[in-house]
Amino acid sequence: MAHSFQREHSAVRRGVELGYWVFFIDRATTEIYTIAIDSAQGAREAVAHLLKCRCRKLLVLTGPRADPDSLRKLDGMQQALRESNVELPAENILEGHHVGAHAVRALSNYLAAGRPLPEAIFAFNDAMAISVLHWLRGRGIRVPQDVALIGYDGIDEAKQAGLTTFETPMYEMGVLATQVLMDSIGLPAGERKAKQLVLKGNLVIRETCGEK
């Protein structure tokens, strides 16, 4: 089983050739069995909610630019923007590397350059969103009164922080992955077929971005 962080595909293929039952969690590929989240749709719903709240001046904190999941979220975000005829300047897309400290540094540098505070921030994971939330409040910037904030994942800390987030069914993914492994025991390698399962999450609205 391979987690959603980047793996060498050659190593994965080698494992398959050796007869191992290999599949990805939260990584879309047609080569092997995958269990993934429709992250493009999740990002689309998150941004659509911000636009529904009449936020037009957005800032986005992404993961690594080459990360496939980040690219899918960017696609979903852009779709929501196109549907509302809203443009997002390239300088408002900041690389946060899915790490809170990186996200805070990117936002701090953005504002230090004299740019205005955006009306809303969409972070591609909750860890970045929560770090940014604490950083903003530590500087007297009110959330959501001065800037709205949405995360992505639905970790326990998001609920504690009152963070609006797109919640992904991580527990269900783990259960399904276990079922797949159990069902594959004793199955000849030649009968293991690549299959792609896509699960959907849901937007959970809390204090950091409710409807205005």
Side-chain angles (χ1 to χ4, degrees):
M1 181 171 62
H3 191 264
S4 60
F5 296 109
Q6 189 70 32
R7 299 297 191 208
E8 292 293 336
H9 281 258
S10 58
V12 173
R13 293 192 188 96
R14 180 58 177 163
V16 174
E17 291 170 358
L18 292 173
Y20 292 106
W21 182 224
V22 181
F23 65 92
F24 278 125
I25 291 180
D26 202 16
R27 173 75 64 183
T29 175
T30 59
E31 299 178 34
I32 60 174
Y33 204 112
T34 62
I35 303 172
I37 300 295
D38 190 349
S39 51
Q41 179 62 22
R44 177 178 173 273
E45 289 187 27
V47 173
H49 177 69
L50 290 174
L51 297 172
K52 183 179 178 181
C53 292
R54 298 191 294 277
C55 296
R56 293 294 185 270
K57 298 176 182 178
L58 309 183
L59 183 141
V60 179
L61 293 163
T62 76
R65 291 292 173 89
D67 179 65
D69 184 63
S70 283
L71 293 174
R72 289 192 295 272
K73 287 174 183 172
L74 281 170
D75 287 342
M77 175 197 73
Q78 295 289 0
Q79 182 182 353
L81 293 172
R82 287 193 300 269
E83 290 169 350
S84 295
N85 295 314
V86 174
E87 292 187 6
L88 181 68
E91 61 266 24
N92 284 31
I93 302 177
L94 309 180
E95 192 170 2
H97 297 279
H98 288 146
V99 178
H102 285 284
V104 166
R105 187 180 304 116
L107 177 59
S108 177
N109 291 339
Y110 173 90
L111 296 175
R115 298 184 180 95
L117 188 70
E119 293 177 341
I121 298 172
F122 173 36
F124 278 13
N125 73 0
D126 288 342
M128 293 192 294
I130 292 170
S131 292
V132 164
L133 175 63
H134 293 319
W135 184 85
L136 290 169
R137 287 178 171 168
R139 280 150 185 78
I141 300 173
R142 300 172 303 166
V143 181
Q145 294 90 341
D146 298 327
V147 56
L149 179 64
I150 286 187
Y152 190 105
D153 279 335
I155 62 176
D156 291 340
E157 291 84 350
K159 184 177 182 179
Q160 298 167 8
L163 178 69
T164 295
T165 185
F166 188 83
E167 193 170 86
T168 59
M170 291 182 280
Y171 176 80
E172 289 79 359
M173 289 176 68
V175 171
L176 186 56
T178 302
Q179 291 175 343
V180 170
L181 285 174
M182 295 298 293
D183 292 343
S184 70
I185 294 175
L187 192 66
E191 296 182 16
R192 299 171 186 167
K193 305 299 182 182
K195 185 177 181 180
Q196 291 74 49
L197 299 180
V198 180
L199 306 181
K200 295 185 180 296
N202 62 289
L203 186 66
V204 178
I205 300 173
R206 299 192 180 102
E207 290 88 344
T208 63
C209 184
E211 292 189 34
K212 294 182 179 179

